[in-house]
Amino acid sequence: QVQLVESGGGLVQPGGSLRLSCAASGSIFSISTMTWNRQAPGKQRELVAAITSGGRINYADSVKGRFTISRDNAKSTVYLQMNSLKPEDTAVYYCRLQHNSAFRKYDSWGQGTQVTVSS
């Protein structure tokens, strides 16, 4: 099983920025799809951004133009740069690793990191 460890969350004022990191163990990071997801209190978990092993990227409409997902395969780490943060971005942010092979399915979640946007 792959272990994912997120970091970089915290309290920030509206309009501010944060950079989240998610480091993966094991050797399959570079061939996996990585996503950032978030869950606000009382709401369902939602996909924020995704990046495939080939570098294809997608964003939720609510974060387009403000958030940037990237990956460093040499460090087995995926990042989420969050700019122009809004109070509605407040949530626990989780990274997820997914990879399917002919022999095994990988689907791992991190423990989550809290992001609070408030003045």
Side-chain angles (χ1 to χ4, degrees), residues 10-23:
L11 173 64
V12 63
Q13 292 186 343
S17 298
L18 282 175
R19 188 194 195 203
L20 305 183
S21 301
C22 172

Side-chain angles (χ1 to χ4, degrees), residues 14-86:
S17 298
L18 282 175
R19 188 194 195 203
L20 305 183
S21 301
C22 172
S25 66
S27 60
I28 65 166
F29 177 86
S30 64
I31 58 174
S32 300
T33 292
M34 299 300 299
T35 62
W36 284 99
N37 306 264
R38 68 186 181 187
Q39 188 166 19
K43 295 187 176 181
Q44 289 188 332
R45 192 171 297 189
E46 63 175 353
L47 177 67
V48 174
I51 184 167
T52 69
S53 58
R56 188 172 72 240
I57 291 173
N58 284 297
Y59 297 101
D61 288 343
S62 59
V63 306
K64 281 181 180 176
R66 300 188 298 121
F67 290 11
T68 302
I69 189 171
S70 61
R71 65 190 299 161
D72 185 337
N73 289 336
K75 296 182 178 180
S76 295
T77 300
V78 63
Y79 304 97
L80 186 68
Q81 178 66 45
M82 305 185 294
N83 299 328
S84 302
L85 282 161
K86 304 175 181 180

Side-chain angles (χ1 to χ4, degrees), residues 84 100 104:
S84 302
N100 293 329
R104 185 173 176 179

Side-chain angles (χ1 to χ4, degrees), residues 79-99:
Y79 304 97
L80 186 68
Q81 178 66 45
M82 305 185 294
N83 299 328
S84 302
L85 282 161
K86 304 175 181 180
E88 52 262 44
D89 295 318
T90 296
V92 179
Y93 284 71
Y94 301 89
C95 67
R96 183 183 188 184
L97 177 149
Q98 292 172 280
H99 173 67

